[in-house]
């Protein structure tokens, strides 16, 4: 699911993803009714199934529309990957609820919530009461935040944006881009010791999990070992908040082959995000089962 | 539990609220909109483009269900349509917005105050309203619903862009809202002329999209002008505001708009009662999606909980759906909702609503 307010660059992001996606890809677009410029852009990539989501109101009936559309796409197109681009003013949490509802069990698996933000407007737009709940909700519910247009902001502004993102969603991974494009070489297994947060590679996967149970120190060590040994796949980055055996939250970061873990004092839900290639979802899930 | 028999007509029941007299049981307003087409078995697009069919569908739905309010609305973009916005009609679903009329700020020149005898589908709305008032107006309240200035403006501009305009082009937004407000006031006049109740819906004013500060600045002032107009010209009719989605953060500025009846969606009715029950009659709020997918027993249980929270509200409570009854809702679920009003809505003296006569004749 790819979220983002008007002008953030989410359509560019979707187009980039389509270019680099493997297998059959479909896109579900909701632009409050008609397929607007965004849809046209995506459609121009060709060979792609674009489905518009009916309904234009944020009322409850729309949720049913989304569920119906996803089911219909699964039955008629059967894509390997479905990119869902909700309206720019959609509340991500509401769309997540629908997509993870048991009514869609076995039909779709929500791999990741990606929110694209415009670095040049984000700080102002993310102030309380700048907009309704949708804006912060998209950031707070993201697994991955693509900070776009970093080329047009000063380093100081970039820092300010990074701090704000951390305040809003400490467990998300943030990557910086310009034009949502893949300008840096792909991070590869060999390059894993190089910090390459400025790029987001094609065909890279993002796996997000919400551990139900606390994790002991021993499990944490095993997890770190598994990450660095490649047990879960070719890992580029991992980040998350997990509940320790004493009930407190632990903020861990995995980058460059090394794990760091620090206590985290705010009360948020546990979540782990892994980004990399050929990630073994089954094994990851089993580890936290 | 047996379902108690009704001893009042719908109109008598709703009239009790206006007079501060205890109705035999609480009223029930399932928001039957496009679902009405199912009652005459015609596709939605055909029904909502033909005044006679539109009217017949709602009268048939009333006769089938016994709902206490007939609500003419096919899309929240109908007023925008009459102001120049194009819609795409889908054979058996609600119409959708085509490309926005206002692509550039200067396109505001293309927006017109509608002529109710010719623009968009306003003649369809008027004919349907006249039909229903003539046919069943002696036994049930007929309402004709229109989108508020904020929602109409968003339809003309495109919601995403409009929300950004609130930040970047405030003065221009007020110019557009002024036009939409004038169109809304004209709508009220046309509806009052036809002895129907004008109901205003403002879904884009949901707290999901705009903050309380924005609501105060861009929504409340225009809503209040329309409420004042209804109070001054409505011959005792109450002003009714429906906002779907999440509204709680915006209740304070909503209250400033001075509506007599709030129809609410995703909120706790107990909280709404505590916040505004001394000022407004509450309507709601069985989850629309549940009407579509749940069983009648589940609908009954959900309605019971809502009734327990809201009955006794100082200004009264009306059971309803939080938003539109989905088109393909099984009829037995609408029956379950209305029967729940019969089961759980028998009022005692303590539950009697205060009169709405402050604003009514």
């Amino acid at each position: 699911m790819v979220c983002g307010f008007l002008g953030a660059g989410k359509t560019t992001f979707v187009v980039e993803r389509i270019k680099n996606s493997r297998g059959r890809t479909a896109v579900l677009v909701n632009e409050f009714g008609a397929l607007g410029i965004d849809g046209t852009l995506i459609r121009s990539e060709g060979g792609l199934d674009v489905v518009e989501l009916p309904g234009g109101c944020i009322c409850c009936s729309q949720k049913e529309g989304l569920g119906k559309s996803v089911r219909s796409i699964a039955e008629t197109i059967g894509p390997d990957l479905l990119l869902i681009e909700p309206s720019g003013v959609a509340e991500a949490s509401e769309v997540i609820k629908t997509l993870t509802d048991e009514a869609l069990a076995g039909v779709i698996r929500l791999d990741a919530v990606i929110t694209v933000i415009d670095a040049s407007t984000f700080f102002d737009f993310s102030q309380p009461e700048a907009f309704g709940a949708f804006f912060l909700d998209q950031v707070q519910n993201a697994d991955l935040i693509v900070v776009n247009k970093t080329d047009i902001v000063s380093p100081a502004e970039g820092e300010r944006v990074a701090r704000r993102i951390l305040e809003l969603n400490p467990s998300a991974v943030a990557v910086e881009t310009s034009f949502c494009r893949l300008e840096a070489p792909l991070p590869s297994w060999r390059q894993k010791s190089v910090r390459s947060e400025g790029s987001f590679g094609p065909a890279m996967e993002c796996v997000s999990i919400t551990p139900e149970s606390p994790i002991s120190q021993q499990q944490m060590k095993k997890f770190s070992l598994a990450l660095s040994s490649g047990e879960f796949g070719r890992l580029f980055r991992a980040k998350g908040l997990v509940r320790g055996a004493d009930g407190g939250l632990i903020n861990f970061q995995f980058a460059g082959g090394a794990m760091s873990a620090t206590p985290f004092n705010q009360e948020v839900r546990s979540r782990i995000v892994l980004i990399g290639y050929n990630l073994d979802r089954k094994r990851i899930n089993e580890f936290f089962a | 539990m047996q379902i108690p028999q009704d001893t009042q007509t719908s109109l008598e029941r709703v009239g009790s609220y206006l007079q501060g007299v205890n109705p035999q049981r609480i009223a029930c307003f399932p928001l039957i909109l496009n679902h009405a087409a199912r009652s005459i078995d015609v596709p939605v697009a055909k029904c909502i483009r033909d005044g006679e069919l539109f009217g017949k569908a709602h009268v048939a739905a009333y006769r089938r269900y016994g709902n206490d309010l007939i609500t003419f609305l096919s899309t929240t973009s109908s007023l925008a349509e009459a102001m120049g916005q194009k819609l795409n009609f889908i054979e058996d679903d609600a119409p959708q917005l085509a490309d926005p009329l206002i692509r550039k700020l200067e396109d505001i020149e293309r927006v017109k105050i509608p002529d109710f005898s010719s623009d968009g589908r306003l003649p369809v709305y008027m004919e349907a309203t006249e039909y229903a008032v003539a046919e069943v107006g002696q036994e049930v309240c007929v309402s004709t619903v229109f989108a508020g200035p904020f929602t109409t403006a968003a339809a003309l501009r495109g919601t995403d862009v409009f929300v950004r305009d609130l930040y970047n082009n405030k003065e221009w937004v007020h110019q557009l809202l002024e036009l939409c407000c004038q169109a809304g006031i004209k709508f009220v006049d046309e509806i009052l002329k036809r002895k129907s109740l004008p109901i205003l819906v403002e879904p884009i004013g949901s707290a999901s999209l705009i903050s309380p500060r924005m609501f105060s600045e861009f929504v409340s002032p225009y809503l209040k002008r329309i409420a004042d107009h209804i109070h001054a010209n409505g011959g005792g009719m109450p002003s009714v505001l429906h906002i779907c989605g999440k509204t709680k953060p915006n209740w304070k500025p909503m209250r400033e708009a001075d509506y007599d009846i709030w129809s609410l969606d995703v909120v706790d009715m107990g909280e709404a009662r505590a916040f505004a029950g001394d000022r407004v009659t509450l309507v709601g709020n069985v989850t629309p999606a549940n009407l579509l997918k749940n069983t009648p027993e589940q609908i009954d249980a959900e309605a019971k909980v809502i009734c327990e929270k809201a009955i006794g509200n100082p200004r009264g409570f009306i059971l309803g759906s939080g938003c539109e009854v989905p088109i393909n809702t099984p009829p037995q679920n609408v029956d379950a909702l209305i029967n729940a009003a019969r089961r759980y809505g028998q009022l005692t003296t303590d539950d009697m609503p205060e009169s709405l006569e402050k604003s009514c004749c």
Side-chain angles (χ1 to χ4, degrees):
Chain A
M1 175 172 141
V2 183
C3 303
F5 188 40
L6 190 72
K10 75 183 157 146
T11 300
T12 312
F13 181 85
V14 168
V15 169
E16 291 297 321
R17 287 293 298 167
I18 291 162
K19 280 181 190 165
N20 297 296
S21 62
R22 292 166 295 188
R24 190 168 172 81
T25 302
V27 181
L28 181 58
V29 184
N30 176 9
E31 284 300 327
F32 269 90
L35 192 67
I37 294 169
D38 286 357
T40 312
L41 269 177
I42 292 169
R43 193 166 271 160
S44 71
E45 289 301 306
L48 186 77
D49 297 295
V50 179
V51 180
E52 289 172 61
L53 178 61
C57 181
I58 52 165
C59 71
C60 295
S61 314
Q62 193 190 5
K63 289 181 190 168
E64 190 55 32
L66 172 61
K68 249 166 62 182
S69 297
V70 167
R71 192 173 286 281
S72 154
I73 288 166
E75 285 165 5
T76 58
I77 301 171
D80 302 302
L81 173 70
L82 174 64
L83 292 167
I84 298 176
E85 185 184 338
S87 154
V89 290
E91 276 186 287
S93 56
E94 292 298 318
V95 185
I96 292 169
K97 266 188 220 162
T98 305
L99 295 175
T100 53
D101 189 279
E102 59 181 24
L104 288 178
V107 178
I108 189 168
R109 182 192 65 221
L110 181 61
D111 271 356
V113 178
I114 300 166
T115 296
V116 185
I117 63 165
D118 177 344
S120 67
T121 56
F122 181 72
F123 193 78
D124 288 342
F125 284 4
S126 66
Q127 294 309 306
E129 294 222 19
F131 293 107
F134 79 91
F135 191 87
L136 297 184
D137 188 87
Q138 290 181 2
V139 177
Q140 287 163 334
N141 286 285
D143 301 311
L144 174 71
I145 297 170
V146 178
V147 187
N148 194 26
K149 305 188 184 179
T150 50
D151 55 317
I152 58 169
V153 299
S154 66
E157 180 65 11
E159 273 295 309
R160 203 157 70 129
V161 167
R163 279 200 301 275
R164 185 86 180 106
I165 290 170
L166 194 65
E167 275 169 30
L168 292 168
N169 186 347
S171 61
V173 171
V175 293
E176 296 182 355
T177 64
S178 303
F179 306 104
C180 282
R181 282 186 192 142
L182 318 165
E183 295 176 332
L186 286 183
S188 73
W189 190 237
R190 288 186 310 278
Q191 291 172 305
K192 70 181 171 54
S193 60
V194 179
R195 281 182 70 85
S196 40
E197 288 182 24
S199 65
F200 185 63
M204 202 182 280
E205 295 169 281
C206 178
V207 175
S208 170
I209 46 174
T210 310
E212 300 284 335
S213 321
I215 292 169
S216 67
Q217 254 189 338
Q218 201 183 359
Q219 272 179 303
M220 203 65 197
K221 274 185 195 157
K222 267 175 73 179
F223 181 54
S224 174
L225 197 66
L227 291 178
S228 55
S229 67
E231 196 179 315
F232 297 142
R234 296 169 57 192
L235 197 73
F236 163 46
R237 178 87 194 266
K239 186 177 176 178
L241 290 163
V242 291
R243 201 163 290 285
D246 63 354
L249 281 170
I250 301 162
N251 178 10
F252 81 84
Q253 305 271 346
F254 180 88
M259 166 104 95
S260 68
T262 50
F264 188 80
N265 295 323
Q266 288 175 40
E267 196 45 48
V268 293
R269 66 175 175 147
S270 301
R271 189 162 52 163
I272 295 171
V273 182
L274 292 91
I275 297 177
Y277 304 96
N278 300 320
L279 298 180
D280 189 337
R281 292 159 202 278
K282 191 165 169 264
R283 189 170 274 196
I284 296 166
N285 281 321
E286 278 169 3
F287 187 92
F288 289 99
Chain B
M1 179 182 172
Q2 218 174 5
I3 302 166
Q5 288 293 309
D6 288 340
T7 56
Q8 291 178 302
T9 66
S10 287
L11 197 61
E12 286 166 349
R13 189 172 302 116
V14 172
S16 301
Y17 285 80
L18 301 180
Q19 296 154 15
V21 176
N22 215 0
Q24 173 234 345
R25 60 135 169 115
I26 59 168
C28 186
F29 291 177
L31 296 179
I32 296 173
L33 308 178
N34 294 303
H35 176 71
R38 294 289 181 266
S39 299
I40 56 167
D41 204 21
V42 295
V44 170
K46 190 175 175 192
C47 174
I48 62 174
R49 286 192 284 189
D50 179 315
E52 193 183 345
L53 282 180
F54 198 24
K56 280 184 172 169
H58 279 270
V59 168
Y62 158 69
R63 287 190 170 134
R64 162 68 185 79
Y65 293 120
N67 42 308
D68 290 321
L69 183 73
I70 286 178
T71 42
F72 283 110
L73 180 79
S74 61
T75 161
T76 53
S77 309
S78 298
L79 196 51
E81 179 191 15
M83 296 172 81
Q85 173 63 41
K86 295 271 180 275
L87 300 184
N88 293 325
F89 285 85
I90 301 164
E91 192 190 358
D92 202 23
D93 207 336
Q96 300 293 312
L97 289 164
D99 284 347
L101 179 71
I102 307 176
R103 303 301 289 259
K104 307 185 293 289
L105 295 181
E106 49 272 33
D107 288 343
I108 195 170
E109 300 297 329
R110 299 171 67 191
V111 176
K112 59 177 178 179
I113 304 294
D115 178 337
F116 278 69
S117 64
S118 58
D119 286 335
R121 285 176 301 121
L122 292 179
V124 171
Y125 273 75
M126 298 306 123
E127 186 186 345
T129 298
E130 287 166 9
Y131 176 87
V133 169
E135 199 71 15
V136 290
Q138 296 302 310
E139 50 189 288
V140 64
C141 182
V142 176
S143 71
T144 314
V145 186
F146 68 108
F150 196 73
T151 299
T152 300
L156 292 164
R157 177 66 164 147
T159 304
D160 289 34
V161 185
F162 183 67
V163 170
R164 195 176 58 182
D165 285 332
L166 302 176
Y167 201 90
N168 295 333
N169 302 307
K170 290 184 179 188
E171 208 174 302
W172 179 90
V173 166
H174 280 294
Q175 285 174 32
L176 180 59
L177 289 170
E178 176 59 36
L179 288 171
C180 297
C181 187
Q182 286 176 26
I185 285 172
K186 205 169 165 189
F187 194 102
V188 168
D189 290 338
E190 294 293 334
I191 293 313
L192 290 177
K193 254 193 254 174
R194 289 165 173 84
K195 302 190 188 324
S196 179
L197 172 70
I199 293 184
L200 199 141
V201 295
E202 197 68 293
I204 304 298
S206 148
S208 299
L209 276 86
I210 61 165
S211 64
R213 179 186 61 74
M214 286 170 147
F215 198 104
S216 272
E217 184 176 352
F218 297 107
V219 187
S220 294
Y222 300 97
L223 286 183
K224 181 156 190 341
R225 274 170 57 188
I226 296 175
D228 289 347
H229 189 79
I230 294 169
H231 292 153
N233 300 282
M237 285 201 185
S239 53
V240 186
L241 174 64
H242 170 80
I243 302 186
C244 48
K246 298 171 187 170
T247 48
K248 186 182 167 190
N250 290 342
W251 283 348
K252 195 165 172 235
M254 265 170 75
R255 203 166 52 179
E256 290 161 13
D258 205 18
Y259 279 74
D260 305 307
I261 299 177
W262 283 4
S263 164
L264 300 175
D265 189 4
V266 192
V267 300
D268 182 293
M269 274 297 183
E271 289 181 359
R273 171 184 170 173
F275 183 86
D278 60 332
R279 298 263 300 266
V280 300
T281 302
L282 295 169
V283 182
N285 61 349
V286 168
T287 310
N290 290 349
L291 284 169
L292 182 67
K293 67 182 185 187
N294 281 4
T295 62
E297 292 73 25
Q298 288 170 315
I299 299 300
D300 181 84
E302 186 178 349
K304 184 182 180 199
V305 172
I306 294 165
C307 286
E308 284 166 358
K309 288 182 178 182
I311 288 177
N313 182 47
R315 301 283 287 187
F317 166 67
I318 293 167
L319 184 63
S321 50
C323 195
E324 176 178 3
V325 171
I327 294 171
N328 294 316
T329 297
Q332 59 269 30
N333 282 0
V334 181
D335 291 336
L337 177 60
I338 296 175
N339 282 335
R342 296 185 177 110
R343 276 202 177 99
Y344 311 116
Q346 302 291 320
L347 299 180
T348 65
T349 313
D350 291 345
D351 300 322
M352 187 161 68
E354 290 170 16
S355 168
L356 287 174
E357 284 187 280
K358 167 183 81 80
S359 55
C360 308
C361 292

